[in-house]
Amino acid sequence: MTGKFITLEGMDGAGKSTHISHIIQRLEAQGHEVVSTREPGGTALGEKLRELLLHESMHAETETLLMFAARREHIHQLIAPALARGAYVLSDRFTDATYAYQCGAKQVELAKIQLLEQWVQADLQPDITLLFDVPVEVSLSRLATARAPDKFERENAEFFTRIRHTYLQRAKENPARFRVIDADKPLEVVKKSVEDIISTL
Ligand SMILES: Nc1ncnc2c1ncn2[C@@H]1O[C@H](COP(=O)(O)OP(=O)(O)O)[C@@H](O)[C@H]1O
Ligand SMILES: [Mg+2]
C-alpha cells in the first residue's frame, strides 16, 4: 500500500497556509489518513533547523545543506513511513522551494542541488505539486499585512521575481506533476480551483 505525496509551493503570501486546512478536511472526508507537515521542519530536529534557516544569516550553500539535512530527517521519520502505510502526506513546501530560493534566487549551482536531491530522496518525488502563483507585488502586499517577516520575506522584489520565474519554469518542465493555480483571484475562486484538483486525485 502506498499513499500520495502532495506538496504546496509558491511565494510567501501566495496562500499555501490559507488553503491547507481545507485540503486536509476534503481528504479526510474521503476517508484518507492525512499527515500535514511543512519544510523546513516537520520533525523535532527539522524545526530546530528551521529556526536557524529562517533567522540566521549564512552562506547560500550552507543554507542548502541544512535544508537537505532537515529533509533527510523529514523523509526518514515522517514522510516515508506515512506513505508506506497508505496515508496522504501534505507538505507546505518541499524540494521545489530549494530550487526556487537557493538556486533561482541565491544562485547556488543547479548541479549541486540535483546531487543533494538524488542523495536525499533517491526516487521519492511528490505525486502532485500545487503551485500557488501570484505576481510579486501581490505577494509583497499580502505579506506586509500578515506577520513579522522572516529572513527570506525581507528580501527585495528582484529576489521574489527570480523565485516566481524558477517555480514557473519547473512547472513547465514537469507538467505531469505540477498544477499551477492562479492565486491572485479572490479566496473563494482559489478555493474552488484547489477543490477541483483534489477531487481528481
Ligand atoms: N486569494 C486571496 N485573496 C486575498 N488574500 C489572500 C488570498 N490568499 C491568501 N490571502 C491572504 O494573504 C496572506 C498570506 O497568506 P498565506 O496563506 O499565509 O500565504 P503563504 O502560506 O503562501 O505564505 C494571509 O493574510 C491571507 O489571508
Ligand atoms: Mg505559509
Side-chain angles (χ1 to χ4, degrees):
M1 192 155 81
T2 55
K4 278 206 190 301
F5 185 23
I6 303 166
T7 57
L8 283 74
E9 296 283 359
M11 280 187 291
D12 303 292
K16 301 177 297 299
S17 302
T18 303
H19 293 282
I20 208 161
S21 59
H22 188 66
I23 300 175
I24 296 170
Q25 275 174 26
R26 294 281 300 203
L27 291 171
E28 285 181 344
Q30 291 169 16
H32 300 293
E33 180 197 348
V34 181
V35 174
S36 172
T37 186
R38 67 173 181 182
E39 287 211 346
T43 65
L45 176 68
E47 292 293 325
K48 286 185 180 171
L49 292 171
R50 179 188 180 91
E51 275 305 302
L52 293 173
L53 282 161
L54 267 48
H55 302 293
E56 297 287 332
S57 80
M58 62 185 79
H59 191 283
E61 290 189 349
T62 311
E63 198 172 272
T64 305
L65 289 163
L66 287 182
M67 286 286 180
F68 274 104
R71 185 163 297 137
R72 181 70 195 91
E73 197 65 14
H74 196 195
I75 292 168
H76 173 68
Q77 277 199 31
L78 191 134
I79 298 174
L83 292 174
R85 65 175 185 265
Y88 276 54
V89 177
L90 212 54
S91 188
D92 186 337
R93 295 192 186 285
F94 194 62
T95 305
D96 293 303
T98 312
Y99 280 96
Y101 283 74
Q102 280 71 41
C103 182
K106 297 194 172 187
Q107 323 272 285
V108 172
E109 253 178 83
L110 180 67
K112 289 182 176 170
I113 295 182
Q114 288 171 328
L115 188 73
L116 289 168
E117 178 183 31
Q118 176 57 36
W119 182 23
V120 165
Q121 290 168 231
D123 56 3
L124 176 72
Q125 287 292 335
D127 293 290
I128 192 155
T129 298
L130 310 186
L131 174 56
F132 291 81
D133 180 55
V134 287
V136 172
E137 317 80 71
V138 173
S139 160
L140 293 174
S141 76
R142 285 185 191 168
L143 278 179
T145 55
R147 55 184 176 260
D150 63 39
K151 183 179 96 184
F152 295 96
E153 293 166 348
R154 286 194 299 269
E155 293 278 358
N156 60 26
E158 193 196 321
F159 180 89
F160 288 110
T161 303
R162 291 200 293 265
I163 289 169
R164 186 185 188 200
H165 174 82
T166 311
Y167 268 135
L168 289 172
Q169 187 64 34
R170 286 186 66 73
K172 211 189 267 182
E173 289 163 3
N174 302 278
R177 174 164 69 86
F178 272 88
R179 299 289 180 280
V180 182
I181 296 165
D182 180 357
D184 187 18
K185 294 275 192 304
L187 266 179
E188 283 308 310
V189 176
V190 179
K191 190 171 158 189
K192 176 73 168 56
S193 314
V194 172
E195 269 175 17
D196 289 347
I197 295 165
I198 295 302
S199 69
T200 65
L201 291 180

